[in-house]
Amino acid sequence: MIKSQEIGSLKKPAWLLASLKSENIEEKEKAKDDASYINLRRLEDIGLDYVYDGEAKRIEMYEQPIREIGGFIFADRIRSWDNKYYRKARCVDEVKYLRNYHKDEFAFVKANTKRTPKIPVTGPYTFMDWSYDEHYRDRSLFLLALSKVVNSVLADLEAMGAPVLQVDEPAATAHPDEMDLFVEGFNAAVRGINSKVTVHICYSGDEYTSLMPRLQSIHASHFALEFANRDSTELGVSSEIRRGYRALEMFREYGSGKELGLGVIDVHTDFIEPPELIRDRILYAIKVLKGATQIVVNPDCGLRTRSRDIAFSKLSNMIKGIKLAEEEAL
Amino acid sequence: MRCYRLKFFRDNLGMIDMVGSYIFGIYPRSEKLIEITRKRIYAPPDFEEESKVLFDSQREAELTYIQDPLLSWDDMFRPITVNSNGIKPDGINRFFETNTFYRVPLLEGNIDAKEDVLARSLHLGLYKPEDKRMASLPDPLTFAILSKDEHYGDVSLVIAAIGELLSKQARGLNRAGFETLVLKCPAYGFIDLKKHFDRVAEAISSIKRAFIKKVILHIYFKPVKDVELLNELPVDGLGFDMINGSQPLRRMDNKELALGLVNGYSTVLEENIPERVKAILDSINPPRAYVTNNVDLEYIPYKFAIKKLDLLRKAMRRINND
């Protein structure tokens, strides 16, 4: 059986955004609970195996935790692309763990799903790379300080019974020359953690060529990666057609014993991938990996940039595509 | 103190009359503009009012050259990719090692555009007669490397075609009264320049012939390995990112030198620009030097960009002993 998961975010419903403007804290919290609950039900109904609440209770993966880590202040927004922006923080003092900023969120997810709950936790390298450092002025020192914070959060989530801890490191391959530093920071963040540690890395400028040779040295058992963004939308299982999946060859070479989170949905387009396309992407991966790797199927990344209708349609087709692939391959 | 400064710089500057300054590339959008663009995706906002503020900020910073802040550009290729034949913006991809993304130019036919595409994307009406007009464009190699080619089938052909397209734009900019053109070259530190050198030199030469006036190549993000090759390119000046990595510089008798010492990627305010200028000019004696940003200021929030402009004004006063 091929398992499925969502990566993290979903677009917030309009009624939630309206409620978040309320002065009434109780009303806001109730709206977040409702949105979290609805997302979990939708993802379960679609048929995902590992579920999370789509960031219903977070602003997003960077700003929310940074607000609750000591040593940072925000420095207004800068552009990510087009008319999308993010608020970038300045580290102006020693980084300090203050609290487990995902505690209430995970407790709610765990209490409200019968599937396997997972919790995404932004990794230290991404925090470092996405922030201005005015205090340490040394990337290694800054990173290791952040690793300690993330380690405390992960340890607390594990103590709460989190079976799957997904460390989000979209910036991991942003600086290929710094991959050893990334590994050092990552491993420090997951030191002593016994729950299943997965890592999500996306939009790799070098198509993961700097990551793959280090798979064995990274203390994670599962790598959720992005491929569909680079792929064609033609049907077929040839390497020419499935050109977005070139990095799988390297995963076969270096990823022995590691589980692969296979990105089969492009999160930056409204094109709803037909089940047959999903099927072919999965079958191609099985072919390249020669059946030696456990595959979990997922979108390339979080779906927050798509409307909810489109996101759920994409996920529904993903489940249908998995079934088609299972019929052919298993 | 003032006497000391006078001696400090006069001794150092030697043959150079004055050190100039400019800021090239895309400026950050203000919080107000961010809100407008976030909410009006399908009705493009009027960028003129906000651009005017940044034209004025550059004048207040006493910059040698004034550049349109390019607030309407969604990335460095966009005015071209949305207004040319044979090319269109495609999916997003990470822009080198930043946490910023661009839409990949997709080449799906013979590329061509009218020569005023670039000029029309600028606020020409905001220039004053006394302003020295500067524009910036991606260089042909960076443009080619970051594109997805589904038509030409060979990177040399892509470089040549893009060079031709950019030459047309350079001609249009010349006709619109621009006197300096900065070609942005972030790709140079990431690839083997030697491999593409002949094609690149040809394309840049074509741009220079079309623009006629001053062309400066600016390399950033990573030092370029074959720095001596750059001296062979038919341009008037070379600019370098003096913050990221250690760019070896050679004595430059024939080319102007732009020193990217204002860090567009950090909110830390530089305190030692005059001292660094002195240290560099001690060993290199270009016919003219400028202090510039290292990378586009769009990587820092608007208010920090304004602070950096003011910082540059103060640094230049120290350097030139105003």
Side-chain angles (χ1 to χ4, degrees), chain B residues 110-207:
Chain B
N110 282 328
I111 57 172
D112 190 28
K114 291 180 180 169
E115 72 175 32
D116 64 347
V117 161
L118 246 297
R120 276 193 291 115
S121 76
L122 308 175
H123 296 94
L124 300 180
L126 293 179
Y127 278 105
K128 292 182 177 176
E130 62 271 25
D131 290 339
K132 292 183 172 179
R133 299 181 180 200
M134 183 181 85
S136 59
L137 278 177
D139 91 287
L141 180 59
T142 299
F143 202 140
I145 296 291
L146 297 191
S147 294
K148 187 171 166 186
D149 173 33
E150 292 187 351
H151 176 70
Y152 293 96
D154 182 293
V155 70
S156 295
L157 297 176
V158 174
I159 294 168
I162 287 173
E164 203 48 47
L165 185 75
L166 296 177
S167 298
K168 268 194 168 181
Q169 302 315 310
R171 191 174 302 115
L173 291 168
N174 172 286
R175 288 186 179 151
F178 284 82
E179 54 185 271
T180 300
L181 176 62
V182 174
L183 291 178
K184 295 162 64 179
C185 311
Y188 284 36
F190 294 87
I191 53 169
D192 182 3
L193 184 58
K194 270 185 194 156
K195 189 175 157 192
H196 305 287
F197 186 76
D198 290 345
R199 277 292 184 199
V200 171
E202 225 169 89
I204 288 175
S205 176
S206 159
I207 292 168

Side-chain angles (χ1 to χ4, degrees), chain B residues 75 77-78 91-95 100-105 146:
Chain B
D75 57 52
F77 310 112
R78 200 65 61 84
I92 67 162
N93 200 7
R94 188 183 296 280
F95 191 66
T100 302
F101 300 81
Y102 70 102
R103 291 207 176 269
V104 177
L146 297 191

Side-chain angles (χ1 to χ4, degrees), chain A residues 75-83 85-86 90 130 132 134 137 170 174-177 202-203 268, chain B residues 29 31 34-35 37-38 73-74 78 92 94 97 99-101 103 222 265 267 298-301 303:
Chain A
D76 288 345
R77 287 171 287 189
I78 60 164
R79 181 160 53 187
S80 190
W81 77 90
D82 292 359
N83 293 324
Y85 306 89
Y86 75 105
R90 299 157 60 201
W130 290 6
Y132 300 113
E134 298 181 17
R137 304 200 185 189
H175 307 278
D177 296 346
C202 55
Y203 303 104
H268 289 125
Chain B
R29 291 174 177 171
E31 283 289 310
I34 285 172
E35 275 308 298
T37 50
R38 278 183 69 221
W73 290 26
D74 284 333
R78 200 65 61 84
I92 67 162
R94 188 183 296 280
E97 298 189 356
N99 185 36
T100 302
F101 300 81
R103 291 207 176 269
K222 266 192 178 180
Y265 211 80
T267 48
E298 71 163 333
Y299 301 111
I300 50 174
K303 68 184 177 196

Side-chain angles (χ1 to χ4, degrees), chain A residues 272-284:
Chain A
I272 296 169
E273 291 82 354
E276 293 77 14
L277 177 59
I278 308 285
R279 173 198 64 198
D280 288 355
R281 287 174 173 166
I282 297 168
L283 291 176
Y284 180 72

Side-chain angles (χ1 to χ4, degrees), chain B residues 212-278:
Chain B
I212 302 169
K213 296 173 183 168
K214 186 183 293 182
V215 175
I216 298 175
L217 235 59
H218 194 96
I219 289 93
Y220 57 98
F221 285 147
K222 266 192 178 180
V224 62
K225 283 178 193 149
D226 305 303
V227 69
E228 66 281 0
L229 276 179
L230 299 176
N231 271 321
E232 295 174 28
L233 288 170
V235 291
D236 305 279
L238 296 172
F240 297 99
D241 178 344
M242 304 303 293
I243 310 278
N244 291 307
S246 176
Q247 176 66 61
L249 297 177
R250 302 285 169 85
R251 189 176 170 86
M252 293 168 68
D253 295 329
N254 305 317
K255 283 187 170 38
E256 298 186 351
L257 175 65
L259 299 167
L261 289 164
V262 177
N263 193 349
Y265 211 80
S266 169
T267 48
V268 173
L269 299 177
E270 296 77 12
E271 291 171 349
N272 60 351
I273 288 176
E275 291 74 17
R276 291 201 65 189
V277 170
K278 176 191 181 304

